[in-house]
Amino acid sequence: MTDDIEEVAQRYARYTAIGAVVITAAWHIGYDLTVTIAGWPSFRWPSLAAAAWIGYTAIAVIAARSLIRTFGGLTRAGRPAVAVLAVDVAVIVSCRPEDLLGAADWGWGSVGWLGVMLLWNRPRWRSELIAFLSVNAGVMLAAMIVTGTVDRVSIAKYLMVMVGSITLQLGYAAGCHTLRVRAEDAALLARRLIADDAWRVSAQRIHADRLRRYAAIRDVAESLLKQLADGADPGDPRVREDCTAGAMRLRRLITEREDVPDELVSVLRERIDAAERRQVLVTAPPFGQRMPALPEGVREDLLRAPVRALDGARSRARVTVSAMSTLVSVAVVADSDGLSISTTPVHEPSGVVVTYQRQGGDVWVNSIWQSP
């Protein structure tokens, strides 16, 4: 579900950016090139108009490559933006004064689309695009003042073209930005919902596991109480061991603190339960630490040797787990006679180091992983 929604968000980002490229290219080829060719005789300096068209095309290609690759404008858009405004000035200069507001002067209405491409999806795109469009409008107004084209008809035409083009350009950029933001919000919400569902399922698993272990402890307690009621001797070592084992299991269950099960801790709990069913007295402090994310293969290497020692315990074992942000340690001390040990530390390919020690009938196994 998350992958599908994130794919939709990426599509919004991709196709809105491609839309800006298509609009700019269609405008520049369909209108700017047409009026440049058709109005060639009317230009004062037609070669300058052609050079401006080529310069506009070159900047558009650079901006389009950035948009298609990254779905964003240029990282350093200052100089290209100045170059685009220079193209606008070149087109104005190439026209005769009487054609300043005519079809031949294509630059002042067209460069805004190139500004949209250059500033697309930048952190401050709104203020930068408004500033760019304002400067473009100011350049054209200054040209009108210099050439004396300030009659009411010219001012009305200027305002009509400027308001129309700015509305289209700024409106398209703002609308596409809104679509992208809404799609990203939907993807974020989907991730949160899936995380909440995973947490809920994990909490239910923990609750069900605790109920199962409470029931097992209750059965053991009932059995012990029945034995005592039937006349069992409280001083009998076997009865005392059973009472101690039951008390330790209950204490461990009561002191558990985590809400989401860790896979490493879950495996250890399963093996501890299996050992206790074999009447092994297992001591284990609460597993309440937050485990760091472990690379592939590390969890298996951490558990392999300690679990073998726990499974081979005859009557008693102690399990400890220590975790920090960059280190995890799993240790087991057990009266395991059949476990083969190494006199030197064993270095696993995953980076886990396993250390063995034997003293009398007990073996100590410690697996440690430390982040590089």
Side-chain angles (χ1 to χ4, degrees):
M1 175 182 175
T2 305
D3 293 341
D4 293 341
I5 295 178
E6 289 186 352
E7 177 63 24
V8 171
Q10 291 177 359
R11 288 178 181 175
Y12 272 107
R14 180 185 305 115
Y15 291 117
T16 52
I18 292 175
V21 175
V22 171
I23 292 173
T24 304
W27 190 284
H28 187 51
I29 295 173
Y31 179 78
D32 300 345
L33 181 61
T34 301
V35 297
T36 299
I37 296 174
W40 189 265
S42 64
F43 283 108
R44 180 167 49 179
W45 291 304
S47 297
L48 181 59
W53 190 92
I54 294 172
Y56 185 112
T57 303
I59 299 172
V61 170
I62 295 172
R65 290 180 61 186
S66 175
L67 275 180
I68 293 172
R69 288 180 178 179
T70 66
F71 312 143
L74 298 179
T75 304
R76 297 179 179 179
R79 291 182 180 179
V82 172
V84 172
L85 294 172
V87 167
D88 186 15
V89 174
V91 176
I92 292 173
V93 172
S94 68
C95 293
R96 301 179 190 280
E98 59 270 20
D99 294 327
L100 191 61
L101 295 173
D105 187 9
W106 53 263
W108 61 301
S110 179
V111 296
W113 287 111
L114 197 46
V116 170
M117 289 177 59
L118 290 173
L119 305 174
W120 187 265
N121 206 26
R122 285 168 55 87
R124 300 176 58 188
W125 70 270
R126 282 191 184 87
S127 58
E128 291 173 345
L129 183 56
I130 290 173
F132 178 87
L133 295 176
S134 299
V135 172
N136 177 45
V139 168
M140 187 59 189
L141 183 60
M144 292 173 61
I145 294 173
V146 169
T147 58
T149 313
V150 289
D151 57 278
R152 288 187 300 175
V153 174
S154 299
I155 293 296
K157 186 183 294 187
Y158 166 80
L159 291 175
M160 180 183 67
V161 174
M162 272 301 167
V163 171
S165 60
I166 289 176
T167 300
L168 289 173
Q169 293 153 4
L170 194 58
Y172 180 79
C176 291
H177 176 76
T178 301
L179 287 175
R180 291 194 305 273
V181 170
R182 294 295 176 265
E184 291 169 0
D185 289 345
L188 179 61
L189 178 59
R191 286 196 295 268
R192 288 178 177 174
L193 289 174
I194 290 176
D196 290 344
D197 289 341
W199 183 89
R200 189 180 302 109
V201 170
S202 298
Q204 291 172 350
R205 285 174 50 197
I206 287 181
H207 182 64
D209 182 61
R210 286 174 178 167
L211 290 178
R212 178 186 60 79
R213 285 185 285 156
Y214 271 125
I217 294 172
R218 184 181 63 244
D219 293 340
V220 171
E222 288 179 356
S223 175
L224 287 172
L225 291 174
K226 185 176 180 181
Q227 292 178 34
L228 293 172
D230 291 341
D233 183 7
D236 185 343
R238 189 59 190 174
V239 174
R240 295 179 64 180
E241 287 179 4
D242 290 344
C243 291
T244 301
M248 292 176 64
R249 293 174 66 182
L250 182 60
R251 186 183 305 114
R252 188 166 60 247
L253 188 57
I254 291 173
T255 55
E256 289 177 4
R257 298 189 298 271
E258 75 277 7
D259 293 322
V260 179
D262 179 84
E263 292 184 24
L264 184 146
V265 172
S266 297
V267 171
L268 283 176
R269 286 212 179 105
E270 291 177 2
R271 304 319 305 161
I272 289 173
D273 289 346
E276 289 177 333
R277 287 193 295 270
R278 293 187 288 106
Q279 304 301 313
V280 175
L281 184 62
V282 181
T283 304
F287 301 137
Q289 302 100 324
R290 181 177 293 276
M291 299 292 173
L294 299 177
E296 184 177 356
V298 170
R299 182 179 295 105
E300 292 77 7
D301 289 342
L302 278 171
L303 288 170
R304 188 178 299 110
V307 165
R308 282 205 304 262
L310 182 58
D311 289 345
R314 290 183 290 104
S315 61
R316 63 182 183 276
R318 178 174 177 83
V319 181
T320 56
V321 177
S322 302
M324 293 184 291
S325 59
T326 59
L327 182 144
V328 177
S329 171
V330 180
V332 171
V333 179
D335 55 350
S336 179
D337 298 328
L339 181 68
S340 59
I341 66 172
S342 172
T343 56
T344 58
V346 178
H347 295 266
E348 301 288 354
S350 63
V352 173
V353 180
V354 185
T355 306
Y356 299 86
Q357 287 187 17
R358 185 179 292 281
Q359 185 174 5
D362 292 341
V363 63
W364 174 73
V365 181
N366 187 23
S367 298
I368 298 177
W369 172 81
Q370 189 167 6
S371 177

